[in-house]
Every structure is written in structure tokens, then in C-alpha cells.
Amino acid sequence: MSCTPVVGIRAILLALVLALSGVAYASEVAPVTRISTASGVVQGVIENNLAVFRGIPYAKPPVGDLRWRAPQPVDPWKEVLDAGRLSADCMQAPFGPTPTQGRHPVAEDCLYLNIWRPASDARKLPVMVWIHGGGFVNGGSSSPDSTGEGVAARDAVFVSFNYRLGRFGFFAFPALSAEHAEEAKGNYGLMDQIAALRWVRHNIDRFGGDANNITVVGESAGGISINMLLTSPSTRGLFDRAIIQSGGGRKLVRTRHLAKDVPDAISAATLGIKFAKSKGIEGADAAALAKLRELSADAVTSGLNMVSLLLPDRALFSGPVIDGKLFVESPEEAYAAGRQHPVPLIVGATSSDLSLSYAKRVEDAFAIFGADAGTARSAYDPIGDGDLKRINNAIGSDRAMVEPARFIARSMSQLRPVYAFRFSYVLEAKRSGSAYGAQHATDVPYAFDLLSAVHGDIVSPADGRIAAAMCDYWVAFARTGNPNGASRPTWPAYNAAADAILDFSSSGAPIAAPDPWRARLDLMERLNAR
């Protein structure tokens, strides 16, 4: 998306319409759609009593010589920037019917953000910054399940943004490490996130947001990103609170390093050399790097998506790495040692979350627990029906997401208030096909009260009440650091002794109680800590 200047035609037309209708157009109550940022003036649009700004650049387009460089400051503009439409999402390959694929363009020029706020000239509003998921290879800010209407309608500011994905966002090569030695390497997508958060710190007050009250929210890869941002020595002070939805916290796969091969995990640089060879590029010097930068965006993507991540070689993709500058250890290591940034936190997972457990027999499913196999059988198959799919799903979900969320809650609660949750709610119209509970990522549109935008007219009143309650909790937490208030069920702060969580249950209301899965999560904790 290019930075196309426009005259403020919308503002003129709005004033004319209001004047003809007899409505006063007093400057002190006029909708705020033109904002002066540190880089130039942007012109947004008014939609449903909200001011919306889309496609604001927060860094230079990472193309040409800026491919595989840390994000660079955007060039200031002199004319008014049209902020009325979304940018392209970042380069990615489709993998099926998803919210972003097939309906929105993708491009290498994609480092833009979007802002929703009340149309009135309110000030010092809490700010929520969304980091999307998608396995670091898919997703984007065009997804209808994570726009800002529901949050902004509750007198808050909502920000979403794109960050580089796949090999554009996570890539290493020996010649890359040699150039611009002062810059961090490998984790370009995470560097984009940091650049976007810095932009928000420096500019959000101009949009009515409180630059000293910023909450980051992320799900799946977005939640994993927040774990990394919370545990990097270089990111202290970027945000004030955090909400992690299904963001793991343990190692889903073995941690990779930028340039050091370790057992069972070759380095990102070695993967980069292998990828270059797959494109007919030999060597690892500057000439080879120049040829890599000359590859088309489609050639760099080369079909990489969330399905190809399941292949044995993970499609020659490193994902986030320990680079020695921004990230010096895994989040799990930092949490265990208490080296994370001390901010108030909401953390949890869905009841039937992401599972990578594929045991072919029930005995194999429980064998991973070793001496605890018999106890695990009682915990994960209490009715003794041997439903392998259900057992695999529960074990894999607990291992990847549910127990790691508890691990983070226990670690962070030593430093700041933490509120732990489980999302068990299943849309009423879909319960017959959801025997095992709420699937991975199904909580996202509830958190932002966007059910109707995602599911249309199948949303029931009960569905809507859960979405409204969840969004109310999230916005209240962003405002004060405490999600409680109004007539919502009280959500107790987490401590390991009580082990209380708030369950967004299919009973129709959130329920606060000691975690009924404590015994099985204790088993999983021993397994995950090995």
C-alpha cells in the first residue's frame, strides 16, 4: 500500500450533510477524523460513531535492500494521508478457508497499523494493541474476528497491525549476520511488533489514547509473541499490561538459535543455506544474499503456510529464534528464573486447544507419562471408554497450551496480579459438532465482541452475552489492571494455592472456581518440566 495523499473531502461532505440537516457542527463535538502524527497528518473515517484509521505506515516498506533488515523509520509525508482502507496483509500462502485468505490481498509492503476509537474527542483512553496469530506464517489485520468496533464502543482505543511472516519475518543467512552488525537478526517479524509498539507509545495520545496505559493482547502466535516480548531484556517498558490467549509458554518445538546448531534443531542460518540451495543459489556470501533478495515474493514464500509447518523439515522455516541480542533465552527459561517483565496479566487457553498429540494407540498416548501412566489414564480417561481421539486431544491440548498457561500464571503471580481463565464456551449452533469443547482460536471474536461479524445470524442471545461479558472483562483490565466490575461474576486474582480460574463455560455465564483439571495438569507439569 502506498501513502496516497488526499484532500479532506470526507470532512467537508460530513459538515455539509450536518449543516443541511440542521445539526450543529461545533468544533468541540465534531467527529475527530484528521490527526497529526509524528510523521504526518492522517485522515480517517467515521463508522457507527467510531473514528477509524486504517493503513497507517509504522515503518518503511521492507522491500529491496530492506528485505531481512530491522524495520526502518517511515519517511514523513507532507500531504494528508488517506487512512480509510486496510493495507495488504503480509506475504503468505493460503492453506484453506480462513478469515484472511481469499478475501484480502497480500504483499511484501505490509507494515501498517489500524486504529479504532470513539468518534468523540475523548482523551486518556485505555489502549489495547492486538497481535494476531497464525503460526507466524499466516494471518493479518484484515481478519474480521479481531477488528476494533467492540472495544472502541466501550470507550477504549484498539490498535491492530501486520508484521512480517514466514521467511520474510524469520530468516537467517551467514551474509545477513555479516552486514549491519549493529542490528539484531533473524526475528524480523518480532522486530516489527516492537516497532509498532514504539509507534503506539509515541503517537497514540494524538488519537485520544493514554500512552502510559497500553495493553498487548495476543492469541496463538500472537500469545507466543507476547511471551517473548515479556522475557526479552530489550522490550522493558513497551507496554503496561498483557493478555495471552493460547500462547503456550513451554517449548512446542525445540528452541532454535540464530547460528548455532544444537541436537535435533539446526540453526536458522543452516536452514537459510538449505533454502537458498532449494532455489539454486549456492554459497553463503554477499553475492548469494543479493540473489536471495532478487527472488520474487512468491518464490520466498514458496508455499509456506500452517499446513507445511507439520512436515518433517517444517518447510525450511525457523520461526522465532534465540538471536543473542533481542532474545537471549527461551520464555520458559526466563519465566522459571523470574526474569520476565512484571506487568499485570490475563492468561489462559481454550478447553479443547491446539493439540499435537497423534498416538496411534491408547497405550501409546499414556506411555509418555512414564511412571505416571496409570494415573494419567485415570485423569484423561475417567469413564474408561478408550476414545483415542478425545484422549489425544486432551493430552495434546494440555501439553501445548493449558498447562503452559498455568505455568505462566504461577510465575507471573509472584510479581504482579494475574487472572487465569479457560474458555470452554461453544456457539450454541455448533455444539453438536464440538464434542470435546472449545477449539483453538474460537475465543478471539468473543474477546472483542465480534460474534455477529464472524458468525452472522446463527449467533444466539446466550452467545452474545458471553461475548459481551468477555469483552467487558478485557476492556476493564486494560483500563485499570483489574477485570472486575459492574455485575459480572467476580474473577479472583490467581495464586497457586487456590488455583482459581474463570471459566467461560457453556452453562451461559462465566464461573470462578478452583480449577477442576488441577490433578491432570499436575501430571502434565511433571511431563513438561522434563
Side-chain angles (χ1 to χ4, degrees):
M1 175 181 176
S2 61
C3 303
T4 305
V6 296
V7 181
I9 297 175
R10 291 187 185 88
I12 295 171
L13 291 176
L14 178 61
L16 181 60
V17 169
L18 290 173
L20 291 174
S21 63
V23 178
Y25 191 69
S27 60
E28 63 270 21
V29 297
V32 179
T33 59
R34 183 172 287 190
I35 303 291
S36 179
T37 74
S39 300
V41 178
V42 297
Q43 176 75 48
V45 294
I46 297 295
E47 297 174 354
N48 300 319
N49 296 317
L50 303 176
V52 185
F53 305 83
R54 298 182 177 94
I56 302 174
Y58 67 86
K60 284 183 180 178
V63 299
D65 289 342
L66 296 184
R67 180 186 282 181
W68 301 312
R69 286 282 309 279
Q72 303 296 306
V74 67
D75 290 329
W77 56 89
K78 294 182 180 180
E79 303 296 330
V80 177
L81 177 72
D82 180 0
R85 65 187 187 278
L86 290 170
S87 73
D89 287 333
C90 290
M91 280 301 300
Q92 56 194 278
F95 69 99
T98 69
T100 54
Q101 289 299 331
R103 296 209 301 260
H104 199 76
V106 296
E108 197 171 352
D109 176 5
C110 61
L111 300 186
Y112 300 85
L113 55 77
N114 318 292
I115 300 171
W116 286 258
R117 51 150 295 157
S120 62
D121 195 17
R123 299 280 124 188
K124 294 291 184 182
L125 299 176
V127 181
M128 297 177 71
V129 181
W130 168 248
I131 304 178
H132 72 77
F136 297 106
V137 295
N138 286 113
S141 64
S142 70
S143 179
D145 68 358
S146 50
T147 59
E149 291 90 343
V151 169
R154 289 166 166 82
D155 287 329
V157 176
F158 185 90
V159 182
S160 68
F161 64 90
N162 295 329
Y163 57 93
R164 281 173 283 182
L165 303 170
R167 294 185 194 90
F168 298 97
F170 303 91
F171 186 76
F173 197 71
L176 272 174
S177 296
E179 69 172 23
H180 306 290
E182 75 284 359
E183 295 179 358
K185 308 293 181 181
N187 294 304
Y188 304 104
L190 292 167
M191 294 181 215
D192 295 342
Q193 296 176 12
I194 292 170
L197 287 167
R198 285 177 176 156
W199 190 97
V200 172
R201 275 286 198 214
H202 295 151
N203 289 277
I204 205 63
D205 59 327
R206 303 163 190 252
F207 294 83
D210 185 348
N212 295 311
N213 189 8
I214 295 171
T215 299
V216 287
V217 191
E219 189 272 340
S220 196
I224 294 170
S225 297
I226 294 176
N227 283 324
M228 299 193 76
L229 296 173
L230 277 169
T231 56
S232 167
S234 302
T235 56
R236 188 176 295 271
L238 275 181
F239 49 89
D240 307 285
R241 301 184 180 98
I243 301 175
I244 300 173
Q245 299 172 221
S246 300
R250 304 280 197 178
K251 291 186 287 288
L252 282 174
V253 294
R254 186 174 293 277
T255 302
R256 291 191 191 275
H257 292 261
L258 182 72
K260 181 176 71 173
D261 294 329
V262 298
D264 301 323
I266 62 175
S267 69
T270 299
L271 283 174
I273 293 172
K274 286 177 174 285
F275 175 73
K277 287 183 177 180
S278 76
K279 297 302 176 183
I281 300 172
E282 297 293 334
D285 58 7
L289 176 59
K291 292 178 181 178
L292 281 167
R293 283 189 168 131
E294 290 171 358
L295 291 174
S296 70
D298 285 334
V300 174
T301 303
S302 196
L304 180 62
N305 59 26
M306 285 200 286
V307 174
S308 59
L309 291 183
L310 300 177
L311 298 175
D313 64 357
R314 289 177 58 82
L316 301 179
F317 174 63
S318 68
V321 297
I322 305 301
D323 62 71
K325 286 190 175 181
L326 280 179
F327 304 102
V328 299
E329 61 186 337
S330 71
E332 182 177 21
E333 291 168 330
Y335 283 130
R339 287 190 286 267
Q340 69 272 30
H341 307 326
V343 301
L345 177 71
I346 287 176
V347 62
T350 66
S351 61
S352 183
D353 216 311
L354 178 69
S355 173
L356 299 176
S357 180
Y358 306 112
K360 292 184 170 61
R361 301 183 308 154
V362 171
E363 292 76 12
D364 297 334
F366 296 124
I368 62 172
F369 291 93
D372 289 327
T375 308
R377 182 184 290 269
S378 298
Y380 285 100
D381 189 19
I383 59 177
D385 66 355
D387 183 337
L388 181 59
K389 183 177 179 181
R390 176 178 52 78
I391 292 167
N392 270 332
N393 185 79
I395 290 174
S397 172
D398 282 2
R399 189 170 198 180
M401 296 294 173
V402 181
E403 188 282 326
R406 191 183 76 166
F407 165 69
I408 295 171
R410 289 184 169 182
S411 173
M412 291 292 287
S413 66
Q414 307 291 320
L415 306 173
R416 288 291 187 274
V418 172
Y419 298 87
F421 77 92
R422 183 160 303 130
F423 186 84
S424 304
Y425 192 86
V426 176
L427 205 71
E428 284 192 325
K430 296 189 174 185
R431 289 183 185 173
S432 61
S434 300
Y436 303 131
Q439 302 295 305
H440 184 69
T442 56
D443 55 333
V444 175
Y446 291 83
F448 305 128
D449 201 2
L450 295 171
L451 276 188
S452 294
V454 176
H455 296 293
D457 58 8
I458 68 170
V459 176
S460 73
D463 301 334
R465 286 192 293 272
I466 286 288
M470 190 170 186
C471 191
D472 285 343
Y473 280 119
W474 265 222
V475 174
F477 176 79
R479 181 169 285 114
T480 68
N482 186 328
N484 291 295
S487 59
R488 295 186 298 280
T490 300
W491 187 349
Y494 183 85
N495 69 78
D499 201 34
I501 63 170
L502 186 75
D503 186 2
F504 293 92
S505 73
S506 285
S507 69
I511 298 173
D515 191 348
W517 292 358
R518 180 167 190 160
R520 82 187 215 189
L521 294 185
D522 287 345
L523 288 168
M524 188 57 68
E525 179 181 44
R526 291 198 289 274
L527 178 62
N528 275 344
R530 289 177 188 171

